[in-house]
Amino acid sequence: MDALKEYWIFESALLVCFFVGIDLGGKMKENLFKASLGSKGDAPLKSYDIGKLLLVGFFGGLVSMGIIGTINGRWLKLDRKVLIGLGALALILLGLKLTLLAMMGMGMLGWDYRTYRMVSKIGYVGLFIAYYFAFKKPFSLFVYAGGIPTPLLKPGLLWIFIGGLIEFLMVYAVSVAVDYDIL
Amino acid sequence: MTYFNNFEVQVQEIEYYLEIEKFTQAKKAIEKLLPETPDNGLLLYYYAFCLYCLEENEVAEEALFESIRLGFRNVDSTYLLGRIRLQCNNFQSAEEAFLEALEMDPQSVPVMSSYALLMFRTGHQKKALNILDQALRLDPSNEVALSVRFIYLLAYGSKNIQLEMLADTLQGAGTETRKLLNIGLYELHHNKLKDAKEAFRQAYLQDPTNTDLLEALDELQMRTSLLFLPNNIIQKLGGPAFFWICTAFIALIGKLFLPDMIAGVLLLILVCLMLATWVSPVIYLAIKRKQARRKRTMLKQLHPRGGRK
């Protein structure tokens, strides 16, 4: 009798799994062929030509590259964690740049201004490379699936100006702080 | 009887042109036949299909609506409507059309594959991959499914997987032109411009009416010319980003360890190389325009009245 009971419970469990599985499979199939487009935040993919972002980074600086990189990343629907990581990298590099400037001002670093600018430019290119490798595969898929990159000239110039201005103000603030012995 | 036989023969001729992807010839044949049978839903569907393939999307949609109005409402017409809307970037209405086609035929692999492509275009990658997997399980050799998968693997797959996929698409169904285009795309993705140009040239010889192919060939002609040697060198080195890093690195090393003059000369060479990449497209286009003007002048001299006597 116990054996029968066990068998019945086992068979019932199997039947439940079977029907639940079928239902789950049905639900999965139903989700695959259910409309996904049309909600408010559901825009199609967009992107700038990621190779040309180098110009924005090189001439605009870390703030320009960070902002335009984040915009492009959201357009390509990159993973949020990746975008946050890249944003954090931009902030870290900015912090490092300002720290090196302060150290130069206080005489702790024997660099001249030219060396400092060269190292800054390497930092800008480094940030661009990080964004480039994050964008490379999604951008390739976007292009091969028929997407056309958005022109970069006007927004690029705009972000070079705005980002460059913000960074200049930060550098100026640090220089003044060093001069007035606040730092 | 003779009339219907003639009509059938002409429709067969149109279907043959569509099968070998000679859309311009098919369009001409349909335009000859349409005035005699303006209420033929199938003919209008074929006409819409040709126009879609020739990227005349607005007229294609009109012809297709007319075909549906005349009763040619089925999976094929709804699927084509989805494709037209996708080509026009009307993604939401394209999705509606694909889902409607899938309701009529849930096992249709081309519709599933096109829907997957739409999902890739709109950033729903997981959903696209699930749909594509389902499509390939139903028909592993379907040309549309293999093309969409190939596009995905070009972006995300390793070189070995891309080669395997390319081999699958070459063995699957599909015209010679399409197979050569896939080869060209693979070579282009890996920056092998001369191989890509050869593949596209072979594809163009198969289909000389394809203006998109001609544009691509012109672009490749430019990029494989001697004037673009600096661009190709930089591309081989890893692209502009890597080149700039090398320049910055060499500048730093030069400043620290080399005499100023040598460091300066090195830097000058690298900067000139970079500048050459920006200037070469402008020079190339200027040369092409000059050659075209010279050709027009020579033709005018040969036929002073523009060919009319």
Side-chain angles (χ1 to χ4, degrees):
Chain A
M1 198 65 178
D2 282 323
L4 258 175
K5 196 177 172 186
E6 261 182 46
Y7 173 76
W8 180 82
I9 291 169
F10 176 69
E11 280 294 315
S12 309
L14 264 184
L15 274 170
V16 166
C17 287
F18 181 71
F19 282 114
V20 166
I22 286 282
D23 188 42
L24 275 176
K27 271 187 187 148
M28 266 176 63
K29 194 179 173 182
E30 206 182 295
N31 283 336
L32 272 187
F33 301 119
K34 206 172 175 181
S36 297
L37 306 177
S39 54
K40 216 178 174 184
D42 204 9
L45 292 185
K46 256 171 89 170
S47 180
Y48 296 120
D49 184 340
I50 58 173
K52 291 179 182 166
L53 291 176
L54 172 64
L55 296 168
V56 177
F58 191 81
F59 293 109
L62 296 167
V63 175
S64 307
M65 189 64 231
I67 293 174
I68 208 162
T70 306
I71 292 171
N72 206 63
R74 290 191 69 175
W75 282 355
L76 283 172
K77 296 187 182 172
L78 239 61
D79 193 5
R80 249 180 112 196
K81 286 178 199 163
V82 172
L83 281 178
I84 290 170
L86 289 167
L89 178 65
L91 285 170
I92 289 167
L93 287 172
L94 187 63
L96 204 62
K97 177 182 171 175
L98 295 172
T99 308
L100 286 172
L101 181 70
M103 284 168 72
M104 256 176 63
M106 290 189 280
M108 290 160 70
L109 209 62
W111 285 357
D112 58 3
Y113 188 64
R114 269 177 68 189
T115 310
Y116 171 74
R117 275 196 66 184
M118 209 182 308
V119 172
S120 301
K121 293 285 181 192
I122 293 172
Y124 302 163
V125 173
L127 183 63
F128 160 74
I129 289 165
Y131 273 104
Y132 180 82
F133 282 107
F135 291 158
K136 195 174 174 193
K137 290 179 179 181
F139 178 70
S140 297
L141 184 60
F142 165 72
V143 167
Y144 294 144
I148 296 170
T150 309
L152 180 59
L153 184 62
K154 282 180 191 167
L157 286 172
L158 179 70
W159 287 117
I160 285 172
F161 177 72
I162 294 175
L165 188 63
I166 295 172
E167 218 166 303
F168 169 75
L169 289 172
M170 285 185 186
V171 164
Y172 184 70
V174 167
S175 306
V176 165
V178 167
D179 282 344
Y180 283 96
D181 289 332
I182 299 170
L183 280 174
Chain B
M1 199 68 173
T2 320
Y3 169 79
F4 286 119
N5 283 344
N6 275 342
F7 178 78
E8 271 172 29
V9 164
Q10 285 180 61
V11 168
Q12 276 174 6
E13 186 191 353
I14 290 165
E15 283 170 355
Y16 169 70
Y17 281 138
L18 290 175
E19 207 176 318
I20 59 171
E21 295 190 6
K22 304 283 186 198
F23 301 116
T24 313
Q25 284 94 315
K27 184 185 161 195
K28 282 182 188 158
I30 295 171
E31 281 168 352
K32 265 190 223 165
L33 207 52
L34 263 176
E36 298 167 29
T37 53
D39 294 338
N40 189 310
L42 176 65
L43 212 55
L44 280 164
Y45 164 75
Y46 285 154
Y47 190 49
F49 184 73
C50 288
L51 291 168
Y52 156 74
C53 295
L54 296 168
E55 295 186 33
E56 297 173 40
N57 294 313
E58 274 181 38
V59 193
E61 201 166 351
E62 279 170 26
L64 189 59
F65 280 137
E66 187 59 22
S67 161
I68 292 171
R69 191 189 68 80
L70 290 166
F72 195 77
R73 188 190 183 84
N74 54 24
V75 179
D76 293 331
S77 58
T78 321
Y79 170 50
L80 180 59
L81 187 63
R83 292 297 300 247
I84 292 171
R85 285 171 173 174
L86 179 58
Q87 196 156 261
C88 296
N89 296 331
N90 295 335
F91 298 120
Q92 199 179 336
S93 38
E95 185 182 38
E96 283 167 15
F98 286 139
L99 289 174
E100 196 183 328
L102 283 168
E103 271 175 39
M104 294 180 198
D105 182 2
Q107 310 274 312
S108 171
V109 172
V111 181
M112 274 193 222
S113 310
S114 299
Y115 187 41
L117 184 66
L118 171 63
M119 289 296 104
F120 278 133
R121 285 289 303 273
T122 50
H124 295 89
Q125 207 169 308
K126 275 188 194 155
K127 184 173 173 179
L129 288 171
N130 286 333
I131 295 171
L132 202 54
D133 279 340
Q134 204 168 325
L136 282 167
R137 257 183 269 135
L138 286 169
D139 184 0
S141 63
N142 181 273
E143 186 201 343
V144 183
L146 288 174
S147 294
V148 176
R149 189 156 175 80
F150 181 58
I151 284 169
Y152 173 75
L153 288 175
L154 266 186
Y156 281 88
S158 67
K159 202 170 177 182
N160 288 337
I161 295 175
Q162 286 168 11
L163 272 172
E164 268 178 44
M165 198 64 220
L166 182 64
D168 284 343
T169 55
L170 294 178
Q171 281 165 20
T175 57
E176 278 303 305
T177 311
R178 194 142 300 281
K179 289 176 185 178
L180 286 161
L181 279 173
N182 282 340
I183 295 171
L185 204 56
Y186 171 81
E187 303 290 6
L188 205 59
H189 178 75
H190 291 284
N191 279 318
K192 293 181 187 170
L193 296 179
K194 286 201 170 136
D195 296 335
K197 183 175 134 190
E198 185 51 34
F200 284 138
R201 193 184 70 84
Q202 294 285 341
Y204 182 69
L205 288 173
Q206 303 272 336
D207 183 11
T209 59
N210 192 327
T211 49
D212 287 338
L213 254 179
L214 189 60
E215 267 181 50
L217 262 177
D218 276 342
E219 172 88 21
L220 281 168
Q221 184 71 28
M222 180 174 81
R223 286 175 67 187
T224 51
S225 73
L226 219 66
L227 213 53
F228 275 75
L229 190 63
N231 304 62
N232 294 335
I233 292 171
I234 287 170
Q235 211 58 42
K236 287 271 186 237
L237 285 174
F242 188 72
F243 185 77
W244 274 114
I245 301 165
C246 290
T247 309
F249 191 65
I250 287 169
L252 205 61
I253 298 282
K255 189 175 168 60
L256 295 172
F257 299 114
L258 295 174
D260 274 349
M261 194 165 163
I262 296 178
V265 166
L266 259 174
L267 205 56
L268 192 66
I269 293 171
L270 292 170
V271 169
C272 286
L273 202 59
M274 202 59 180
L275 281 172
T277 65
W278 294 346
V279 160
S280 43
V282 178
I283 297 175
Y284 184 85
L285 284 170
I287 293 172
K288 284 285 268 189
R289 262 186 235 125
K290 198 175 177 185
Q291 282 175 348
R293 234 179 286 136
R294 207 180 292 160
K295 201 174 174 182
R296 273 199 300 270
T297 316
M298 276 171 61
L299 282 170
K300 269 186 193 165
Q301 284 170 359
L302 283 171
H303 304 283
R305 290 177 198 166
R308 276 178 260 132
K309 286 190 181 171

